[in-house]
Amino acid sequence: MLQRVLSVWAWISSSLVALLWLPWLGLVFALTAPFDPGRYTAGRWFRRAAMVAVALNPLWSFRTSGVRIRDPRRPYVAVSNHESMADIFLISHLPWEMKWLAKESLFRVPVLGWMMRLAGDVAVRRTDRSSRAEALAECRDRLRKGVSVMIFPEGTRSRTGELLPFRDGAFRLAVEAGVPILPLAVVGTRDAIASGSFLFGRARAEVRVLPPIPTEGLTVSDVAALRERVRREITAARAEMLRTN
């Protein structure tokens, strides 16, 4: 019963945050868009909404750790394992802006989708090859404008806790754009939002920023090796985090 009550509160508070944030985000976008083509400022304010929603959720305790990024305007292709929808709220706590590659259906959700568009996030239909190509082109645009992009290379949430195979797209993007890969390891969000349920679960979650991996001098023939290196590093980091948490 307590979990149900707290879940209702979490949904109500998150909805109120979204409704109050939308007009503010629209104003921020209108004021900054003329001189902020990468929508860095609008994006940062959107991520702050996620941070406020987490702070109001008594079932969640989230933290960040790892490497500190000195220059938030140096673009990276950030990649993370994917445990649940709560990963988005957790990773939003990192203190720099990233544009998210997200499934198109999220952009059709009222309020949430409108804010994602204002923030400059990138929509993709994963089953549509032309949509994937357009989305990667938009990601290259964000990188050229000095803003990092955030991609889940598994493509979907793992149901077992083990990492799924990584897809090539994020790594090919980084190699072709000549920007570093920034690996992120996530633990603890699997039970934060139960799959197929509206109930929130208790969660103590962490995202750890691993050392960036440069791509200078690499070619598309190196994508597979880069992909597997990053997967090994995230797997090892998660194992250590699970042992110590």
Side-chain angles (χ1 to χ4, degrees):
M1 176 61 71
L2 179 60
Q3 183 185 14
R4 291 180 180 274
V5 171
L6 293 178
S7 292
V8 169
W9 161 251
W11 280 113
I12 291 173
S13 60
S14 296
S15 299
L16 287 174
V17 168
L19 289 171
L20 292 171
W21 223 265
L22 177 61
W24 169 248
L25 189 63
L27 178 62
V28 170
F29 171 78
L31 293 175
T32 62
F35 55 86
D36 185 9
R39 303 190 195 181
Y40 191 93
T41 304
R44 282 305 297 146
W45 276 104
F46 180 40
R47 314 310 159 194
R48 290 186 179 106
M51 296 169 65
V52 172
V54 171
L56 293 171
N57 187 336
L59 293 168
W60 288 358
S61 176
F62 289 175
R63 69 189 184 101
T64 65
S65 65
V67 173
R68 180 179 177 184
I69 299 301
R70 300 291 180 180
D71 181 3
R73 294 310 302 262
R74 178 180 181 179
Y76 297 89
V77 174
V79 296
S80 171
N81 61 295
H82 194 13
E83 291 194 348
S84 80
M85 284 295 293
D87 298 340
I88 298 168
F89 292 85
L90 172 61
I91 296 172
S92 291
H93 284 70
L94 294 174
W96 67 88
E97 172 59 2
M98 299 182 285
K99 302 308 180 188
W100 291 68
L101 180 66
K103 57 185 179 182
E104 187 188 45
S105 59
L106 290 176
F107 288 78
R108 295 197 296 269
V109 177
V111 183
L112 172 63
W114 305 337
M115 289 196 290
M116 292 176 73
R117 293 188 187 281
L118 288 171
D121 290 334
V122 178
V124 62
R125 294 189 303 277
R126 292 192 174 97
T127 58
D128 185 329
R129 179 176 295 181
S130 64
S131 175
R132 295 198 302 269
E134 290 172 8
L136 288 175
E138 286 196 51
C139 287
R140 283 190 287 270
D141 171 74
R142 307 302 191 270
L143 293 170
R144 283 194 298 268
K145 291 172 178 173
V147 185
S148 297
V149 297
M150 168 63 212
I151 298 174
F152 292 119
E154 293 168 283
T156 189
R157 289 172 282 177
S158 170
R159 304 295 183 184
T160 65
E162 299 296 322
L163 266 66
L164 299 174
F166 281 7
R167 301 179 181 182
D168 286 349
F171 307 96
R172 187 181 185 105
L173 172 66
V175 168
E176 292 178 344
V179 302
I181 288 282
L182 186 65
L184 308 175
V186 165
V187 296
T189 57
R190 180 166 307 282
D191 298 323
I193 302 177
S195 179
S197 170
F198 287 102
L199 293 179
F200 288 87
R202 293 192 179 276
R204 293 180 65 252
E206 177 184 353
V207 55
R208 179 172 296 178
V209 183
L210 306 183
I213 299 174
T215 61
E216 289 90 345
L218 299 185
T219 67
V220 291
S221 63
D222 300 304
V223 165
L226 176 64
R227 179 194 69 214
E228 293 309 306
R229 175 185 171 182
V230 172
R231 189 175 184 275
R232 286 193 302 270
E233 292 191 8
I234 291 177
T235 299
R238 291 185 72 248
E240 179 186 350
M241 293 160 71
L242 289 168
R243 284 195 302 269
T244 57
N245 283 353

